[in-house]
Structures are given as structure tokens and as C-alpha cells.
Amino acid sequence: HVRWQGWIKPGRLFMLARQTIFIVSLISVFAILIFVEVGEQPLFGAIKKASKNPGNLALRGGSDRSTSTAASMADSENPVLSCPVFPRFDAIKAEHVVPGIKKLIGDNEKMLSDLEAELKSKDYKMDVLSLIEKLEVLGDELGRSWGAIKHLESTKDNEALRKAVEETQPELVKFNMKVSQREPIYKAFKLIKDSPQYASLSVARKRIVDSNLLEAELAGIALEGEKKERFNQIQQELAALSTQFSNNVLDCTKAFTVRLTTKEEVAGLPESALGLGAQTAKTKGDADATAEAGPWVFTLDAPSFLPVMKHAKDRKLREKLYFAYNTRASESSGSRPEGGKSLDNSEVIKQILSLKQEKAALLGKRHFADVSTATKMATLESAMELMEKLRASSYAPAEKELKDLQEFAAKQGFSEELKPWDVTFYAERQLEAEYAFNEEELRPYFALPRVLEGLFGLAKRLFDVDVVKADVTVPVWDPEVQFWQINRDGKPVAYFYLDPYSRPAEKRGGAWMDEVAGRSTVLADKAGGVRLPVAHMVCNQSPPVGGAPSLMTFREVETLFHEFGHALQHMLTTQTEGLVAGIRGVEWDAVEQPSQFMENWCYDYPTIEKLAVHHESGAKLPKELFDKVKAAKNFRAATMMLRQLQFAVTDLQLHSDFDPKGTASVHDKYREVAKTFQVMQPLAEDRFLCGFSHIFAGGYSAGYYSYKWAEVLSADCFGAFEEAGLADDAKVQEIGRKFRDTILAKGGGEDPNEVFKAFRGRAPTPDALLRHSGLTSAAV
């Protein structure tokens, strides 16, 4: 899940105004019928300098070109204003945000004015290389600084930082509007597009020209007078509402805890869950809490919530947590203690949808779905067509899965009709019975250090790169954050941070990857050099408990592989145009392709046997146990397919044919879609949409279908390895290098359809996805 933290997204200058916040992915799907929320190394030759004095690294991208050399003492002490490619995460505080960002906005406004003056003096005629280079410099430092701030807001949340972000955000939106709606830049790109020069441009430069023109149009470049004023006002309002939505979800998640004191209340919970529950209880004031005797505190954070839903025998406990999770930030959440501001996101959603509908109308579009898909591979119609194909292959199998589960529960003595809080519990028992294992058996074999060793070994095998502890010391935002370096042919090509553990008191849920700095030759500190990519990966897996390392669930292993796939596309890019290097400029419905591709290797035993080693005995994961895991991969796959399709179709319909001012609520629409896409209907009280941060606080508005669209691509890519033979190491390495040199290397510099064809030799089909899911392709 890729998250764009910064407001200055370098890959598409004009995209800033089109999206009210940058692309955020806060959600991951875990377990059966449970939805849980789930960004270069500096220049060569400066690495050793960084290790001596990382906080004052002189690698500031374009900053030396955009700021005065005579900085005030206050400025020199503000880490927001001295943001190297390795940001001073440990030094940035709330009091630095407002003065720092305002100063950077002022610097960038001057750069923008200077560029416009130059364009006007030349009748808007500028060589494409010069224009692209100037735009790459424009906003680089501001984007990286704001990205560091937003990252801290997600991983070290506190009230002071929130208020500073909220105060600064309108100024950033206003600046983004200025950039995206500046006619001199648009006219310069239009002249290039209409000139003979355009035909001779590289594919990547054509993509930059085309995408900037399109994004300018989607940012309201053609609007005038009151319409432009209203458009900009909408952008401001959407930014504020998006932040409000996200904060409401986070605050409601943090506010809920349940404290249990008797063994009867925690019956069925595994040792790992009890250990985490006792550890959480200690943080809440129960200094003597133990895993054996309690008390235990459980929260709505995934590592705490999911074990309860899977294993707790107490049905009332499961029901309580289910309702708490699925009614977060709804009418039942009340108001904030300070100021009485409502925590209910239902009204926030209506306002967001109304504003997006109005925005689409101003742009001359049928609806917001057309605005969203204008920069994607799919259209509304082609996305819905794929969703229906997948539904047709999944619905009947899902009906059978529910029937089988009800019958299984009855054999266990459960005589009532299954409720949503029963499904996961009995599905886990059914899984144990049919495949003779439970996920808790796997935990001891998946200690994070060994999992990382195996993951990095796979990267070596497939892509011929070495992942090693970085040879630089950099500031981090938490003591548990790790810092790694990727080498190719013995030389560093990228760096990344890894923040693995859940910290529910300060860290948003889910898992994501974001860029810290992008690959760039323009922003190198010397001619012929390159600024290498820097990324960060954030997970929320089970933390170490009782002196043992972090023991991961199998799904947490998959999540780690997923985020590493995103990071690899950012870090292994060879694209020379910085504006479309790595994940920049990649169509959003293709951006999940490398991440979902990497997940497939979790079901390859030669890969898993290298990382699945018992943390105490040193024994490898038994092959027979792995075979059970692999056999169980498609357990209730149709049900999970339908659930994802429901999210996607609800999203598309809310942003196309739904009237937010009508009598029907968004929750009515959710239930309407469920009639076609679910075999178990949601409860009337279900308020899942109030926590759907993907589409209301992120970049997936009318774009959640992208997960399935990209899954078609990723499954088809993995099919190339299967066809060659996963046991044929020479073939696997050959195809792995080809994947590296196409899917991972090209970035946003080529059309993703053409990049796919360069790897696969043909257009993609959904056959591999349906096969991997154990579903028939007869309906496709």
C-alpha cells in the first residue's frame, strides 16, 4: 500500500490540486470477513559525511538552488528547513512545522514567479529538458519536508503536531492551487505538445508532457472567475474534511479498550494474544499484569483485535469488539471531550461526496469517477466489467462456503444462525479441522530477524541485489526503526527505513510504503551524479513480547513482502527522468502490481524454508505444515473475493451514481451493493464506511478497484515463473532479472500496458488470478 505523504508530488506537478491529500493507503484486509485498517540515498561521495553528521547532511535536493545562503539563526535551527534526504526525524517538533513550511512556501513562490517571468519573456517557448528540470527542482525540498512531517503525524501522533499540521495545511493547498493553475507553465507544455519537438521526445518525456497537461486540466486550469474561486474553495474544504475523517477514525480506535480479569473471559485466546493483552494492560496502569494471570487489555488495533475475533470463546466479547470496530467514527461515537466536535464520519462522508460531485461538474465530467479514472488504466465501465467477471466466478462458490461453515458450526454445537462476529471464529475452527493446523502454530517459526534475512535472500535470487545494514547512521523517529541499504554490483543504489511494530497510542493502523526522496540526476550535488532513492516501510505487526523477538503471523509475513514489493519499485528504478522515476507517475491501478507479486513467494517452499526457522529450537518449518498452509491458501477465497469486490463497487457507485443530497444514505448504498456482492448481508447497524479511510482520507476515491485490477497483473506476472518452473533456479533468476528490468525499473516513464507486454509478451488476462484463487474461469 503506497502512501504519498508529501503535498508536492514531484511525479505529477499538477496532480497536487486534483487530490485533496496525497495518496494514502491505510487499509489491509485480514482474516475472514474482517476489515482492518490497515515512499534516495544521497549522492555518491556524501555517504561518509552522512555517517559523521547525518542531521546536517548537505544533500538537500534542489534546496540550494531555491533558498538564500544567508539563513537566520531561527531558520538554521529549524530541522524542517534543513531537510536532507535523510530527514532529521528525531528533531522535528510541532513548533517547527508552521514557521518552517511557511518559509519553504515563500521560497517556492519566488521560484514559481521567477519561472513564470522567464516563460513570459520567451513567449512561453522553452526547451522541454529545461522546463522539466526546473519543475523537478520546484517543490522538491518542500515536498520532502512536508512528507517528513506527515510521516511523523502517522507514526508519532500527538495533539500539538496535529494542530500544527491543520494550521499549515490550508497554506499548502493554496500553494498547490497556484502551481497547478498557473497558465504560463500550462502554455509552455501546450506549445511543446503542439510543436515538431514533441515527436522526437523520449517516451518518458512525452509521458511527462501529457500527464502535466492532463493534471492541469483536472486541476481547473480552464476555469475562470467565480468557478475557479469555487474550485479552489472545494479543494480546501476537501483537505480539511479528509484530515477530519482520518483523525476521527484514529481517535475512536484509540479510545476503545476492554479490560478482562478472569480466565473465563479470555478462554480460547492463544498465548501470544494473552501476552500482548498483559503488555497492553501494563501500559494502562496494571503494573503487575501477566500473560498467565492478567489482567488483559484488548484494543481495536489489528494485533489485539484479530486474535479475539478468531479465538475468543466468549461470544459476547467477540460481539462487543465487532460492533466497536464496525461502528468506529459513527453516530454511536459521540463527541470529542474538548469543544464537543462530533466524531461521526457519516456527515463528513456526505460532505466529501457532495464536494467531489460539484468538483466533477465544474470540470465538465459526468461524475467524480471520471475525474479519478482519467489518470488510470481503467475507465469506470472497464473497471465495473472486471468486477462483474470476478463476481460471476465467485458468487456460487461463496454461497457454498457459507453453507459449509453453517453446517460445520452446527456440528460444533452452535444451533443459531451465524452472525458476523461468529464467522471468523468458526471459520478459524473449520480451518483447523480441515487442514489440521492453526496460525498460532506458525508464529514461533516466523521471527522478524530471520524473516527479513529470507526476504532479502529472495531479492538477491530474483533481482541480483544485496540488502545489508546501511553504512550510514541516520536519525529515526523511534528506537525500533531499522535502516537498510540496497547494493547492486557492490555499490549502493537505494536506502530504506523499516518501522515494523504496532504502537496503537501514537501510530496509525495498517501498513504502507512511501518515498522519502526520489531518484534524480537533476537534484544530484554534482554533474554526472545521482540522488539515490530513499523509502520507508511501515507495518503494524506484533511487537516483541517477554524477551522473545517479534513472532509474526503468516499474514504479517505476507504484508511485509507486500510493502517490500512497493519499495523495490521505488528503489530499483533505472528511470533517468526524475519526475517519473520509481513509483512516480505510475497509474494508480498498476501501482499495486509489484507488491501483490511479492506476496506469491510466501507460498513457495524454497523461499519459506529459508526464513521459517523456530526461534528457540532452530528447526525449520516442517514441509507437511507448510503444505497445509498452502492448501489452506484458498480457504474461503470466494468469500474474500466478494468482500473486496463489494468495497470496490461501493466506492465506484458512491462516486458515480449516488446522490449525497438524496434520501438514501451511504450506508443504504453499501447494503444495496451487498445484495449482489455478498452472500451474508451486513447488519443494519453496520457503519463500515465510517472507517473506510482508503476512499475518504486517501487516494483511492473511485479507485479501490485498483487492488483487483493490479492483482490481475501481478498474478499473471507470477504465472511466468510458474510456467518456467519454480524449481528451475536458472529460469527463475532469468525471469526475475527481466521483471526487475521492466516492471521495477521503468517507473512511470512508460505506459504500464506496454511495460507488462515487455515482460509477459502479451496483454494480461484474469485467468491466473482465478486459478490462484481456486475459482473457475468459466465465466470469464
Side-chain angles (χ1 to χ4, degrees):
H1 319 320
V2 177
R3 169 183 292 179
W4 285 99
Q5 298 279 18
W7 280 81
I8 306 301
K9 183 180 178 184
R12 289 178 180 169
L13 186 67
F14 295 120
M15 193 171 189
L16 312 172
R18 189 172 65 84
Q19 292 180 290
T20 58
I21 70 168
F22 275 92
I23 294 166
V24 179
S25 172
L26 294 175
I27 306 174
S28 177
V29 177
F30 295 82
I32 306 302
L33 287 179
I34 292 183
F35 189 82
V36 180
E37 281 192 358
V38 222
E40 267 171 356
Q41 152 66 16
L43 322 172
F44 298 125
I47 297 173
K48 295 304 178 183
K49 180 191 297 184
S51 65
K52 294 177 182 177
N53 193 12
N56 294 304
L57 204 64
L59 303 168
R60 300 165 50 140
S63 62
D64 291 337
R65 309 181 195 197
S66 63
T67 58
S68 170
T69 56
S72 69
M73 178 61 71
D75 288 349
S76 67
E77 293 174 352
N78 189 333
V80 171
L81 289 172
S82 57
C83 190
V85 289
F86 300 141
R88 296 163 62 189
F89 287 117
D90 59 339
I92 297 174
K93 306 299 179 186
E95 58 266 25
H96 300 131
V97 174
V98 175
I101 293 300
K102 287 186 174 180
K103 173 68 165 58
L104 290 173
I105 290 175
D107 292 340
N108 278 264
E109 286 181 332
K110 184 178 186 308
M111 291 177 67
L112 182 60
S113 296
D114 290 346
L115 175 57
E116 288 187 324
E118 182 180 359
L119 287 169
K120 290 177 181 178
S121 71
K122 297 179 178 179
D123 293 327
Y124 310 107
K125 297 176 182 178
M126 181 176 286
D127 177 76
V128 66
L129 178 58
S130 297
L131 180 57
I132 289 173
E133 287 185 351
K134 290 177 184 294
L135 292 178
E136 189 173 350
V137 172
L138 177 63
D140 177 73
E141 185 174 20
L142 175 58
R144 288 185 293 103
S145 295
W146 184 245
I149 292 166
K150 292 294 290 182
H151 175 69
L152 289 173
E153 186 190 27
S154 295
T155 57
K156 303 293 286 187
D157 178 64
N158 62 75
E159 191 62 28
L161 184 58
R162 270 194 199 186
K163 290 180 178 179
V165 169
E166 290 174 3
E167 181 179 347
T168 312
Q169 186 167 277
E171 294 300 317
L172 278 160
V173 176
K174 184 178 179 181
F175 173 70
N176 290 337
M177 293 300 98
K178 287 182 180 180
V179 176
S180 59
Q181 296 173 349
R182 282 301 226 251
E183 290 191 9
I185 298 175
Y186 179 74
K187 288 180 178 179
F189 273 121
K190 198 77 171 66
L191 284 173
I192 292 170
K193 174 77 172 179
D194 296 340
S195 73
Q197 179 188 12
Y198 180 80
S200 64
L201 296 180
S202 67
V203 172
R205 289 180 180 171
K206 285 180 180 177
R207 293 258 296 174
I208 292 171
V209 172
D210 293 345
S211 65
N212 274 287
L213 288 171
L214 176 59
E215 296 295 355
E217 291 158 6
L218 293 175
I221 190 76
L223 299 177
E224 297 178 351
E226 292 183 358
K227 288 185 177 181
K228 176 169 287 189
E229 184 178 339
R230 177 56 184 156
F231 185 92
N232 293 345
Q233 183 181 358
I234 289 173
Q235 295 296 81
Q236 291 281 9
E237 293 177 17
L238 284 172
L241 288 167
S242 176
T243 299
Q244 182 182 343
F245 185 100
S246 182
N247 287 340
N248 284 349
V249 175
L250 178 61
D251 290 344
C252 289
T253 302
K254 289 177 9 179
F256 178 88
T257 61
V258 58
R259 182 177 181 271
L260 306 177
T261 59
T262 69
K263 290 190 176 182
E264 289 77 15
E265 292 174 303
V266 297
L269 289 177
E271 182 180 341
S272 61
L274 295 175
L276 181 58
Q279 185 167 288
T280 304
K282 289 182 178 180
T283 69
K284 303 294 184 181
D286 289 305
D288 297 327
T290 66
E292 296 75 19
W296 306 270
V297 172
F298 295 94
T299 72
L300 299 182
D301 197 51
S304 179
F305 170 74
L306 283 174
V308 174
M309 301 308 297
K310 287 184 178 183
H311 302 292
K313 294 182 179 180
D314 187 336
R315 193 182 186 213
K316 290 292 185 182
L317 175 63
R318 299 198 309 267
E319 181 181 1
K320 182 175 184 177
L321 264 72
Y322 177 87
F323 269 101
Y325 186 85
N326 283 279
T327 59
R328 289 177 305 162
S330 69
E331 63 268 27
S332 66
S333 301
S335 302
R336 299 179 187 277
E338 70 287 353
K341 192 174 183 180
S342 174
L343 289 164
D344 183 7
N345 272 340
S346 295
E347 185 60 31
V348 176
I349 292 172
K350 287 181 63 176
Q351 293 178 59
I352 289 173
L353 292 174
S354 294
L355 289 169
K356 288 184 175 179
Q357 189 178 75
E358 184 181 358
K359 175 179 174 180
L362 286 169
L363 293 173
K365 301 292 186 181
R366 295 180 299 173
H367 39 59
F368 186 79
D370 281 354
V371 179
S372 175
T373 56
T375 56
K376 295 180 173 67
M377 296 174 69
T379 62
L380 170 65
E381 290 74 20
S382 61
M384 287 294 292
E385 182 182 0
L386 176 61
M387 299 303 104
E388 175 55 28
K389 284 182 178 180
L390 297 176
R391 188 204 68 82
S393 294
S394 306
Y395 197 85
E399 288 183 310
K400 184 177 185 304
E401 289 171 356
L402 180 59
K403 179 176 179 292
D404 290 347
L405 184 63
Q406 185 74 63
E407 292 175 353
F408 173 84
K411 292 177 182 178
Q412 306 302 304
F414 184 77
S415 58
E416 301 179 44
E417 182 181 356
L418 288 170
K419 298 294 184 182
W421 50 90
D422 299 317
V423 171
T424 304
F425 177 79
Y426 283 105
E428 193 70 15
R429 306 290 78 75
Q430 185 183 22
L431 178 70
E432 293 168 358
E434 293 187 7
Y435 299 98
F437 86 97
N438 66 69
E439 197 168 67
E440 289 300 311
E441 290 182 63
L442 302 175
R443 276 190 191 267
Y445 292 96
F446 292 112
L448 177 62
R450 189 62 183 250
V451 171
L452 288 175
E453 184 180 330
L455 174 59
F456 299 158
L458 176 64
K460 175 66 175 178
R461 179 186 180 212
L462 295 178
F463 312 128
D464 194 26
V465 294
D466 297 292
V467 185
V468 299
K469 283 289 186 180
D471 60 2
V472 295
T473 301
V474 300
V476 295
W477 55 93
D478 187 87
E480 299 291 350
V481 173
Q482 305 175 19
F483 191 62
W484 297 89
Q485 171 177 318
I486 295 186
N487 292 340
R488 186 171 174 183
D489 299 325
K491 297 178 180 179
V493 295
Y495 290 78
F496 68 95
Y497 304 82
L498 172 63
D499 184 354
Y501 308 132
S502 169
R503 297 188 301 275
E506 63 180 10
K507 186 177 178 183
R508 297 186 187 274
W512 64 89
M513 167 268 163
D514 192 9
E515 75 163 60
V516 178
R519 188 176 193 270
S520 175
T521 55
V522 172
L523 295 169
D525 66 347
K526 60 182 179 181
V530 62
R531 186 179 75 181
L532 302 183
V534 182
H536 56 62
M537 294 164 50
V538 181
C539 298
N540 267 282
Q541 68 192 50
S542 308
V545 176
S550 171
L551 301 179
M552 305 169 68
T553 67
F554 193 75
R555 292 191 179 276
E556 288 172 344
V557 175
E558 289 182 289
T559 297
L560 183 64
F561 272 59
H562 180 106
E563 301 309 329
F564 191 57
H566 280 311
L568 286 172
Q569 186 175 34
H570 179 62
M571 296 187 293
L572 297 189
T573 185
T574 57
Q575 179 57 251
T576 58
E577 297 291 343
L579 293 180
V580 287
I583 58 176
R584 300 176 175 186
V586 178
E587 278 76 354
W588 201 241
D589 36 12
V591 79
E592 293 291 336
Q593 181 181 355
S595 55
Q596 294 176 339
F597 165 81
M598 288 298 294
E599 290 183 44
N600 289 284
W601 295 98
C602 293
Y603 296 93
D604 174 56
Y605 186 67
T607 298
I608 291 299
E609 72 170 342
K610 293 180 176 65
L611 59 84
V613 177
H614 198 285
H615 75 105
E616 291 178 333
S617 69
K620 291 185 176 182
L621 179 72
K623 179 65 161 57
E624 56 270 24
L625 182 53
F626 172 80
D627 289 341
K628 293 176 182 178
V629 174
K630 188 171 183 178
K633 174 177 180 285
N634 291 330
F635 177 67
R636 294 177 57 79
T639 301
M640 292 305 297
M641 176 74 81
L642 287 184
R643 184 141 172 87
Q644 284 290 284
L645 296 177
Q646 184 190 351
F647 298 157
V649 173
T650 299
D651 170 39
L652 288 169
Q653 291 193 6
L654 284 174
H655 290 96
S656 58
D657 65 1
F658 176 75
D659 181 6
K661 297 179 181 178
T663 57
S665 72
V666 292
H667 310 297
D668 293 332
K669 170 59 73 173
Y670 183 72
R671 286 188 288 271
E672 177 190 326
V673 173
K675 292 177 182 178
T676 306
F677 284 85
Q678 288 290 290
V679 294
M680 173 181 275
Q681 297 306 298
L683 301 175
E685 303 91 338
D686 190 295
R687 294 295 182 266
F688 162 78
L689 290 176
C690 288
F692 200 179
S693 298
H694 250 77
I695 67 172
F696 298 120
Y700 279 91
S701 301
Y704 195 84
Y705 77 88
S706 299
Y707 277 104
K708 284 303 171 190
W709 190 276
E711 201 173 347
V712 167
L713 304 177
S714 64
D716 206 342
C717 284
F718 191 72
F721 292 84
E722 295 175 312
E723 292 164 13
L726 292 173
D728 188 333
D729 201 57
K731 280 289 187 182
V732 166
Q733 291 184 31
E734 177 186 344
I735 299 172
R737 272 49 165 188
K738 187 176 183 181
F739 186 89
R740 177 197 68 192
D741 295 339
T742 52
I743 307 297
L744 299 182
K746 298 296 186 180
E750 294 186 24
D751 184 293
N753 284 306
E754 298 305 314
V755 176
F756 182 90
K757 290 177 184 178
F759 173 69
R760 203 68 171 95
R762 56 166 175 76
T765 75
D767 296 343
L769 173 59
L770 292 168
R771 174 168 51 81
H772 289 170
S773 301
L775 302 170
T776 177
S777 60
V780 178

